[in-house]
């Protein structure tokens, strides 16, 4: 197995022969512009973007797709380093917790390609590491849809594990291991990872499945909607899958988390007894009390995306015993 440095040296030798390679300044400008464009297109990284939209970016008048057709790593011909890396969407029922993507230091990992055409692609990612060029990480949330995480830095390679080490911040490339602050930093990094990748990806997947509507009341306004976990992701059973999620409007999310509103394993809404006895204004009467015994108004079309009755049962038991 070649070491990262050996692979990079080979890449540099290959580069010497390459024609029309952009200057480093141009590659930096390309990345800045692509990320600014994505910021607008994705509502500051919160919304998913389609494969089609990712092909529409233009750099200096020329269309330059941000996603490779068919390969995980996108390196435009004139670039030295990978511009984007992709993680494919995992079909429902085969999801794994996002912890699988993290190393013991809490930082995410990206698997090297292992097929016959992998050499150039893996070298392109190593070039991003060597040249300190940020990359765009496209995380599949549904067929043809991606949550975009940017900028992401490639800060290391673990050839023995066939993977690269990623970070969200150049500061994370500081050596963590062996330092007395390691545990504290690891906790911070893990929390950051959760917020930066898990939450937006989870939100996009849930919003797509529920067509951006509250499961309980069918409210459609995206800014008033949350992707709620049935079993919190901090728990052992908290899985990063749509079947552990519900699209809920802010008020129903808060009511669900406060134990005022429960959802039974057969998809019916229940309101806590003492709350049913309260008298309040119209929102409370219609939006809370009026829902008691009603079925969910919105559930995902795909069976595998629907709320998992076993997870609902666990949460419902807590609601009933409160
Ligand atoms: Zn609602």
């Amino acid at each position: 197995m070649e070491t990262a440095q050996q692979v990079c040296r080979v890449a540099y030798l290959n580069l010497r022969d390459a024609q029309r390679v952009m200057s480093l300044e141009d590659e930096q400008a390309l990345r800045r512009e692509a990320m600014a464009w994505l910021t607008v297109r994705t509502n500051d990284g919160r919304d998913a973007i389609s494969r089609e939209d990712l092909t529409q970016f233009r750099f200096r008048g020329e269309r330059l797709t941000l996603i490779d057709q068919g390969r995980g790593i996108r390196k435009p011909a004139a670039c030295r380093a990978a511009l984007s890396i992709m993680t494919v969407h995992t079909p429902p029922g085969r999801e794994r917790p996002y912890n699988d993507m993290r190393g013991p230091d809490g930082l995410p990992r990206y698997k090297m390609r292992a097929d016959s055409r992998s050499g150039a692609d893996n070298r392109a990612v190593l070039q991003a590491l060597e040249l300190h060029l940020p990359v765009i990480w496209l995380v599949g949330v549904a067929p043809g849809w991606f949550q975009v995480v940017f900028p992401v830095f490639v800060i290391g390679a673990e050839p023995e594990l066939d993977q690269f080490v990623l970070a969200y911040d150049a500061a994370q490339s500081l050596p963590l291991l062996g330092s007395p602050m390691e545990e504290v930093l690891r906790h911070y990094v893990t929390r950051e990872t959760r917020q930066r990748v898990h939450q937006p990806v989870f939100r996009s997947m849930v919003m797509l499945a529920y067509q951006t509507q509250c499961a309980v009341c069918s409210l459609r306004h995206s800014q008033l909607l949350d992707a709620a976990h049935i079993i919190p992701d901090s728990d052992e059973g908290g899985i990063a899958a749509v079947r552990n999620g519900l699209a809920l409007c802010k008020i129903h999310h808060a009511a669900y988390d406060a134990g005022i509103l429960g959802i039974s394993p057969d998809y019916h809404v229940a309101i806590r007894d003492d709350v049913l006895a309260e008298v309040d204004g119209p929102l409370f009467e219609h939006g809370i009390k009026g829902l008691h015994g009603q079925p969910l108004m919105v559930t995902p079309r795909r069976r595998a995306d629907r709320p998992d009755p076993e997870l609902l049962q666990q949460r419902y038991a807590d609601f009933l015993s409160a």
Side-chain angles (χ1 to χ4, degrees), residues 214-219 225 248-252:
C214 173
V216 168
C217 70
S218 81
L219 188 102
L225 294 174
L248 293 176
C249 68
K250 299 279 181 191
I251 192 115
H252 291 137

Side-chain angles (χ1 to χ4, degrees), residues 216-217 252 261 269-271 275-276 278 281-295 297:
V216 168
C217 70
H252 291 137
L261 181 153
V269 178
I271 302 298
V275 174
L276 282 173
E278 284 177 38
L283 177 65
F284 190 76
E285 290 300 319
H286 295 287
I288 305 278
K289 283 168 71 177
L291 297 167
H292 185 64
Q294 296 295 311
M297 290 184 75

Side-chain angles (χ1 to χ4, degrees), residues 12 34 42-43 45 49 58 83 99 102 122 147 165 261 271 277-278:
Y12 275 127
T42 62
N43 187 15
I49 186 167
R58 300 183 84 85
L83 176 60
N99 326 352
R102 290 201 290 263
N122 291 334
Q147 181 71 42
V165 185
L261 181 153
I271 302 298
E278 284 177 38

